[in-house]
Amino acid sequence: MAIPPHPAPVPVPAPEPDVSVGSLTTGRLRLRPVRDSDLDAVTRLWTDPDVRRHLGGPVIESVVRIRRRRVVGAPGVHAVVRTEDGVVLGLVTVEPGARDGETELSYQFLPEHWGRGYAREAVGAVLAEILEGTPSVVAVTQEENHRSRRLLEAVGLEYAESFVEWDAHQVLYRRGRA
């Protein structure tokens, strides 16, 4: 009786880095998965002309309906909630491997909460957390979005490159593990 040859070893892909933040608390904020009760605020983020000025404009109703069904509990999508009163201020999203294999960080906040440091606090906390599990993080914003660019620089990301995407001049910022 012949002994069958050993099968060739099958390469096992490296596991995706763990860049989830689960629930994260800062001095004034809690970041957690999106809940059904957050959908009104989240829908405003997608449809508010000021929020969407540098994001391609307000999202159309049919797309909003689809997004509402998919965002609750979605991995990497975090509602930013003010701890003192439970108000949803915005979203911070973490997408592993989104841009040329690098983890991409993005955010949106409702206009009535701009200028109070909430975005800087939330984005900075998420950045610190995810850098523990991935070698680098990138963020992209439109070149003309000076507020967003200042925020990215304030949390330690550095300008890496400029390019055109979605018919607009974009800038990519990057930060690696220290």
Side-chain angles (χ1 to χ4, degrees):
M1 171 178 247
I3 298 174
H6 290 286
V10 176
V12 177
E16 288 279 332
D18 181 12
V19 295
S20 62
V21 297
S23 181
L24 178 66
T25 303
T26 70
R28 302 179 293 168
L29 308 172
R30 181 163 181 241
L31 287 87
R32 56 158 173 73
V34 175
R35 299 176 180 162
D36 285 326
S37 59
D38 303 332
L39 287 175
D40 288 344
V42 172
T43 298
R44 279 194 54 221
L45 288 167
W46 296 329
T47 58
D48 184 282
D50 289 329
V51 173
R52 301 293 304 174
R53 175 175 295 127
H54 300 290
L55 297 170
V59 176
I60 61 172
E61 182 60 34
S62 60
V63 173
V64 167
R65 284 194 304 274
I66 293 166
R67 285 185 178 187
R68 284 176 65 99
R69 288 193 303 267
R70 295 180 178 170
V71 74
V72 174
V77 182
H78 308 283
V80 179
V81 180
R82 191 168 45 209
T83 53
E84 75 179 43
D85 57 10
V87 169
V88 175
L89 310 176
L91 292 176
V92 175
T93 303
V94 178
E95 297 178 80
R99 195 165 285 270
D100 295 328
E102 290 184 279
T103 297
E104 186 169 0
L105 176 65
S106 59
Y107 49 89
Q108 317 175 45
F109 283 78
L110 292 167
E112 62 267 26
H113 307 298
W114 293 355
R116 295 188 172 108
Y118 294 129
R120 182 177 179 176
E121 186 174 330
V123 171
V126 170
L127 179 64
E129 184 82 8
I130 62 178
L131 276 171
E132 292 179 13
T134 190
S136 64
V137 175
V138 296
V140 175
T141 190
Q142 280 191 7
E143 189 174 271
E144 65 184 44
N145 190 346
H146 300 290
R147 291 177 80 148
S148 185
R149 294 181 71 179
R150 282 193 304 271
L151 183 149
L152 294 172
E153 291 166 2
V155 298
L157 280 92
E158 296 179 355
Y159 170 85
E161 65 181 283
S162 296
F163 54 93
V164 175
E165 185 177 70
W166 306 106
D167 297 324
H169 292 276
Q170 310 286 337
V171 287
L172 181 135
Y173 285 80
R174 177 179 287 118
R175 180 168 168 194
R177 234 185 273 160

